[in-house]
Amino acid sequence: MIDVTLLDIEDIGQWVRYKPSFGKPELGRLKSWNHVSCFVVFQCDKNWDAFENYTAQSTSPQDLTFVKEI
């Protein structure tokens, strides 16, 4: 679980794992957040250096964890 109250600007671009209650986990990069949701880029045609130019999905912070290495 990610605590949005502890997020800082340095967390933008960090890799996260989305693990829903059903379905398979996905890897993505944190683009932004608000007090309710985290916005994560999961698809960017493998252009991860420019992930911020792609659409992010709203995800529940409870379903996300930071990933140290890919």
Side-chain angles (χ1 to χ4, degrees):
M1 177 177 121
I2 291 178
D3 184 347
V4 295
T5 64
L6 299 178
L7 291 175
D8 194 279
I9 195 154
E10 286 101 24
D11 292 315
I12 293 173
Q14 293 295 318
W15 287 97
V16 294
R17 175 172 283 118
Y18 172 62
K19 188 173 181 186
S21 55
F22 61 91
K24 67 178 190 171
E26 291 184 68
L27 291 176
R29 292 183 80 176
L30 183 64
K31 185 173 182 178
S32 63
W33 62 90
N34 61 28
H35 67 283
V36 177
S37 296
C38 290
F39 298 92
V40 178
V41 175
F42 292 105
Q43 300 292 324
C44 66
D45 296 327
K46 297 183 182 181
N47 189 16
W48 290 110
D49 290 336
F51 78 95
E52 65 276 353
N53 297 326
Y54 292 83
T55 303
Q57 283 187 277
S58 175
T59 58
S60 171
Q62 288 80 13
D63 294 336
L64 294 173
T65 55
F66 285 112
V67 176
K68 299 279 186 202
E69 294 183 28
I70 300 293

